[in-house]
Amino acid sequence: MKVHQSNFSIEGFSEAVAYEEIKSLATQHSLLDYYDLGSGYIPKLPYNLGNREHSLEEILTCNPSLISFSGDKLFGSVQAGIIAGRADLIATLKQNQLLRMLRVDKITLSLLEESIKAYLKEEWESIPTLWLLFRSIEELTQRALHVKEAVGQAYCDIMPSETYMGGGTLPNRKFPTIALHVKGKATVLERKFREKLVIGRIEEDKFLLDFRTILPHNEVLLIDIIKQIVG
Ligand SMILES: *Cc1c(COP(=O)(O)O)cnc(C)c1O
């Protein structure tokens, strides 16, 4: 069994066993192999984020007995745990009485189904986590500029920054983003924005709104909130 370490990383003299090795050891001894991926993802990740983690497709080429991964995190759907693998093992799991306690409700299942349909149709915009992850710096800059112009140059400026995936995935793996720096006392702004349900972050005493976390359809509302607070 291999379990992803989720939200921490070890640097320096340390080693991890590749899943392929666990698989071959298990096969050699006629045992089941199981990989708890924590966060499963499908498309090749941008910004080199996939160079230390395998995609679901890569794991499946190893023919695992069982794998599990979260329905949210990088998969970008509902909070749920997904177990996949050999049909006979899944059938055995389904017969276990514990399933009655652990199974998800119909709403979760139907939302998960919608996300999976979006995957099949490659409609990435329906999977916000991934859609935002794939936005280019040029595109984020354009959108930030638009907000800056709408609010007024005096109140904000644009700065490049770095961001993290979070949610127990890809620990310590920074990737680029574009932020709108709202001018003013950062701690005060942070509280005022939070009261309007907008969560920013403070970096070097500056209050930032990270464009990798803002969906285009929320921009009009966001402009309005910024104007209410600083305008
Ligand atoms: C997140 C995580 C889980 C649990 O995921 P759920 O979304 O609660 O199903 C299990 N194992 C690892 C390694 C994780 O990172």
Side-chain angles (χ1 to χ4, degrees), residues 109-223:
L109 275 180
S110 56
L111 290 171
L112 195 57
E113 191 174 319
E114 287 309 308
S115 304
I116 292 169
K117 277 191 214 155
Y119 269 109
L120 291 173
K121 292 190 238 163
E122 303 198 352
E123 286 171 358
W124 305 119
E125 65 284 359
S126 307
I127 308 168
T129 310
L130 285 181
W131 188 84
L132 290 163
L133 178 59
F134 277 89
R135 293 310 93 202
S136 69
I137 288 298
E138 293 72 34
E139 187 180 337
L140 297 181
T141 307
Q142 281 312 312
R143 291 180 43 208
L145 270 171
H146 169 75
V147 173
K148 178 185 157 178
E149 274 157 24
V151 173
Q153 313 261 0
Y155 303 106
C156 50
D157 50 33
I158 293 171
M159 52 181 272
S161 179
E162 283 171 317
T163 198
Y164 296 92
M165 203 56 213
T169 63
L170 311 170
N172 301 338
R173 303 295 306 280
K174 281 187 216 164
F175 55 99
T177 189
I178 292 295
L180 187 78
H181 161 216
V182 183
K183 294 177 193 169
K185 190 160 169 47
T187 48
V188 174
L189 288 172
E190 202 269 346
R191 182 178 49 75
K192 284 188 176 169
F193 274 90
R194 199 175 275 266
E195 280 165 5
K196 303 264 182 205
L197 311 182
V198 176
I199 299 175
R201 66 164 178 272
I202 297 174
E203 217 174 271
E204 292 171 1
D205 285 332
K206 292 186 174 107
F207 178 73
L208 306 184
L209 295 170
D210 186 340
F211 268 75
R212 208 174 278 291
T213 67
I214 300 165
L215 291 166
H217 71 263
N218 284 328
E219 266 168 33
V220 173
L221 182 61
L222 183 66
I223 289 167

Side-chain angles (χ1 to χ4, degrees), residues 3-6 36-39 69-73 79-82 168:
V3 180
H4 187 265
Q5 59 198 26
S6 201
D36 179 15
L37 291 159
S39 179
F69 56 95
S70 183
D72 53 350
K73 300 189 180 169
Q79 176 88 60
I82 299 169

